[in-house]
């Protein structure tokens, strides 16, 4: 095969990446995008902290960058491959080699998080300026969320002429730091102004990225519009609206090889022509969650258990849903109050509601394979991935009509049903009343097997992969590189 011409070199900078570390959808996207873009000639390398133990997972590791003092200690960058991804791990033991997850330990944020992620951004900017020891230098840097927010800022303030993109995966996390840390974060005092780094008297690393990047993207077209409104912008709506011409909403995709009902090793394989075989997965799922007969729709929730996700609404809608024949299996972890509420629901409806608190990728596959519906009642949802897994597996999504949920699920309106286009149910606003009404519609549709099967087939036809969206990123990169 002839070597493909290189369209450009991109350094992607993030705090998590599948398969090395994942706390949410950010990691899925950061891990999937390089693979999707490689086919279009883009050479991407992902720079991420070498949290404890990660460096050992690199294949053919090689030291490609050495720094002096990096926020209080020595640092190197190791290059290597993991599952076909070109990774760059920033090894700085004083910042990253410690107990706990990427951001916290035992429920408490690491106190030096601002420095930990500023260091990552600093090194990204140095790599953009001078390149790596193996001769590679990016044409463009793509930063993600507040942890990557200082990359565009260091590039701009350092006069480094490399273009940058910042992607907002969730505006709720803004990297807010007391103003007296400005110098410690190696930021110029002169930029501490309302159109620069200053954010209500403090610093926001996300705002820093938003005001200095050459382009801003977010993970769905609807969220791109929502972000410019006070109800969703969470204080940054004005900053984003002021740059509206440079804001792009590009829908996430999902990995259609990992999420493939016909090839899923966790499940009895099925596809839209062999939907009957989903029933076997449903039986197994009931057994796994200790559920008895569920005459109505068997719904699942696979989610972080937080206020964003609307999980607190579930106890209010359950009694009617259960009375109508429904069942529910929940997998998640998060706020202790919500974990407790889920346990209480299982205790209240034995045989109809089952709960597993924890994080379990394999179990989540078995749940999507076996369930009839997936519930995503989010108050806001920049994109959301689980509704797309649901589409792929004919597990119809019931979603709040917001962000990426609004962009991916076609509500079963009379017209959509008549056109054979309906793929799920959406409701608005995100409250118990509207959610309960949506579940009633779900139960009614489920009771009509032909209508239900037609919706499943329509759902399974949806293009939820990365083809379209990776081309949109490629076009944006090409445009920036002129
Ligand atoms: P967010 O990033 O806001 O949490 P997304 O829907 O974008 O929401 O991504 C969440 C990802 O994490 C999905 O891949 C989902 O399947 C996965 N996930 C969430 N909670 C769990 C869990 N308890 N066990 C397994 N996977 C989970
Ligand atoms: C964030 C958002 C989620 C999105 C994910 C990946 O975690 O909460 O909606 O799907 O990022 O972009």
């Amino acid at each position: 095969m002839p070597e493909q011409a290189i369209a450009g070199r991109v350094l992607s900078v993030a705090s998590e990446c599948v398969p090395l570390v994942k706390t949410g959808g950010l990691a899925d996207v950061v891990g999937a995008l390089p693979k999707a873009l490689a086919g279009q000639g883009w050479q991407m390398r992902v720079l991420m902290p070498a949290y404890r133990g990660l460096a050992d997972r690199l294949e053919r590791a090689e030291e490609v960058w050495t720094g002096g003092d990096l926020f209080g200690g020595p640092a190197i960058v190791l290059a290597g491959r993991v599952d076909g991804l070109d990774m760059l791990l920033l090894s700085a033991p004083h910042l990253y080699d410690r107990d706990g997850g990427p951001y916290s330990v035992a429920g408490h944020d690491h106190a030096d998080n601002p420095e930990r992620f500023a260091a990552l951004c600093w090194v990204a900017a140095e790599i953009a300026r001078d390149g790596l020891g193996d001769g590679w230098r990016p044409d463009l840097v793509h930063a993600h969320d507040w942890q990557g927010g200082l990359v565009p800022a260091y590039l701009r303030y350092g006069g480094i002429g490399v273009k940058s993109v910042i992607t907002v995966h969730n505006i709720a996390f803004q990297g807010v730091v007391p103003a007296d840390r400005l110098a410690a974060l190696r930021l110029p005092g002169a930029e501490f102004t309302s159109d620069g780094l200053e954010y209500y008297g403090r610093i926001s690393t996300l705002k820093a990225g938003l005001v200095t990047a050459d382009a801003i993207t977010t993970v769905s077209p609807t969220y791109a519009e929502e972000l410019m409104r006070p109800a969703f912008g969470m204080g940054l709506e004005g900053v984003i609206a002021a740059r509206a011409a440079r804001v792009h909403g590009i829908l996430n995709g999902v990995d259609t090889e990992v999420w493939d009902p016909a090839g899923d090793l966790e499940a009895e394989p099925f596809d839209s022509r062999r939907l009957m075989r989903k029933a076997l997965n449903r039986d197994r799922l009931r057994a796994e969650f200790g559920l008895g007969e569920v005459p109505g729709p068997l719904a699942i929730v696979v989610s972080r258990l937080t206020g964003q996700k609307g999980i607190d609404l579930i106890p209010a809608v359950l009694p009617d849903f259960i009375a109508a024949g429904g069942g529910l299996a929940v997998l998640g972890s998060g706020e202790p109050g919500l974990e407790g509420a889920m346990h209480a629901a299982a205790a209240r409806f034995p045989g109809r509601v089952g709960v597993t608190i924890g994080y379990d990728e394999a179990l989540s596959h078995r749940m999507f394979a076996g369930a009839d519906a997936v519930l995503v009642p989010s108050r806001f949802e920049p994109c959301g991935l689980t509704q797309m897994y649901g589409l792929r597996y004919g597990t119809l999504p019931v979603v709040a009509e917001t962000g990426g949920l609004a962009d991916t699920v076609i509500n079963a309106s009379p017209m959509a049903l008549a056109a054979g286009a309906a793929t799920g149910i959406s409701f608005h606003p995100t409250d118990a009343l509207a959610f309960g009404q949506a579940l009633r519609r779900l139960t009614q549709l489920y009771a009509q097997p032909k209508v239900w099967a037609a919706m499943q087939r329509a759902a399974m036809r949806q293009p939820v992969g990365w083809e379209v969206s990776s081309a949109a990123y490629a076009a944006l990169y090409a445009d920036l590189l002129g």
Side-chain angles (χ1 to χ4, degrees):
M1 281 232 313
E3 285 243 333
Q4 191 172 24
I6 294 178
R9 297 171 188 82
V10 180
L11 179 66
S12 177
V13 185
S15 56
E16 47 184 281
C17 176
V18 163
L20 290 178
V21 189
K22 166 171 167 178
T23 72
L26 166 66
D28 292 294
V29 174
V30 172
L33 198 50
K35 292 182 187 170
L37 282 166
Q40 297 160 57
W42 291 88
Q43 218 178 61
M44 276 189 119
R45 296 176 100 172
V46 180
L47 176 69
M48 200 186 81
Y51 305 114
R52 177 172 290 173
L54 291 194
D56 298 338
R57 295 179 52 191
L58 287 181
E59 298 153 29
R60 288 179 272 135
E62 183 196 355
E63 191 175 318
V64 289
W65 182 90
T66 313
D69 174 75
L70 185 69
F71 294 80
I76 60 168
V77 172
L78 294 168
R81 289 181 72 83
V82 181
D83 271 10
L85 275 180
D86 265 321
M87 295 296 309
L88 299 170
L89 292 183
L90 173 59
S91 173
H94 62 295
L95 299 172
Y96 309 126
D97 185 11
R98 53 177 77 170
D99 291 340
Y103 317 117
S104 61
V105 58
H108 296 282
D109 281 356
H110 300 297
D112 57 347
N113 274 346
E115 286 78 10
R116 294 172 74 233
F117 294 106
L120 178 73
C121 296
W122 183 266
V123 172
E126 298 254 300
I127 294 172
R129 190 186 56 207
D130 301 330
L132 292 168
D134 60 9
W136 191 87
R137 183 168 170 256
D139 304 308
L140 185 143
V141 184
H142 186 163
H144 299 268
D145 271 354
W146 72 267
Q147 298 92 339
L150 292 182
V151 182
Y154 289 141
L155 291 175
R156 176 65 53 89
Y157 303 148
I160 302 168
V162 173
K163 293 279 185 341
S164 64
V165 178
I166 184 161
T167 296
V168 179
H169 294 263
N170 194 334
I171 201 98
F173 304 102
Q174 305 184 340
V176 175
V177 188
D180 61 10
R181 302 261 276 274
L182 201 66
L185 296 180
R186 304 184 178 179
L187 291 166
E191 303 294 342
F192 191 69
T193 62
S194 60
D195 52 7
L197 300 166
E198 190 269 340
Y199 186 57
Y200 297 105
R202 296 188 282 177
I203 305 161
S204 156
T205 63
L206 180 59
K207 182 187 171 189
L210 294 174
V211 297
T212 52
D214 295 292
I216 299 169
T217 74
T218 187
V219 289
S220 70
T222 293
Y223 194 58
E225 292 181 354
E226 288 174 341
L227 278 180
M228 298 180 204
R229 302 185 211 138
F232 290 94
M234 299 188 175
L236 287 168
E237 57 277 1
V239 173
I240 295 184
R243 305 205 67 201
R246 290 175 182 271
V247 175
H248 309 261
I250 304 178
L251 198 63
N252 287 336
V254 303
D255 188 326
T256 50
E257 282 174 25
V258 172
W259 294 97
D260 175 15
D264 197 320
L265 297 178
E266 288 295 327
E268 181 65 27
F270 64 96
D271 56 34
S272 55
R273 286 185 308 277
R274 288 170 300 167
L275 269 172
M276 295 304 286
R277 291 169 70 181
K278 196 168 157 66
L280 196 63
N281 293 310
R282 191 181 192 272
D283 290 342
R284 288 185 190 158
L285 177 60
R286 281 193 302 113
E288 192 160 5
F289 276 84
L291 306 181
E293 287 304 321
V294 177
L298 173 52
I300 55 169
V301 169
V302 177
S303 182
R304 292 187 288 124
L305 302 180
T306 68
Q308 173 191 342
K309 302 292 180 179
I311 302 297
D312 51 298
L313 302 174
I314 290 176
V317 299
L318 261 185
D320 282 351
F321 182 55
I322 301 296
L328 177 67
V330 178
L331 169 63
S333 64
E335 292 168 14
L338 293 173
E339 293 183 356
M342 294 300 101
H343 278 310
R348 182 169 173 198
F349 301 107
R352 281 295 191 83
V353 176
V355 172
T356 298
I357 299 299
Y359 186 94
D360 188 336
E361 198 91 21
L363 175 57
S364 74
H365 277 255
R366 297 194 290 279
M367 293 171 75
F368 283 100
D372 301 309
V374 54
L375 312 183
V376 196
S378 306
R379 294 202 161 76
F380 66 94
E381 195 61 77
C383 181
L385 300 177
T386 60
Q387 82 280 10
M388 292 198 264
Y389 305 156
L391 292 173
R392 194 83 178 118
Y393 283 69
T395 301
L396 301 186
V398 178
V399 302
E401 200 183 331
T402 184
L405 301 173
D407 290 337
T408 51
V409 176
I410 303 175
N411 179 48
S413 68
M415 288 296 166
L417 283 169
T423 62
I425 292 174
S426 58
F427 64 90
H428 176 83
T430 303
D431 61 21
L433 183 61
F435 187 17
Q437 289 166 334
L439 290 176
R440 199 169 317 140
R441 283 194 277 145
L442 177 78
T443 313
Q444 288 161 357
L445 289 165
Y446 186 75
Q448 306 167 61
K450 275 195 179 146
V451 177
W452 185 265
M455 282 181 70
Q456 285 181 303
R457 281 193 292 271
M460 295 175 85
R461 278 198 302 271
Q462 300 301 301
V464 295
W466 273 102
E467 292 78 7
V468 175
S469 296
S470 63
Y473 278 106
L476 173 65
Y477 293 165
D479 187 44
L480 288 174
L481 295 179

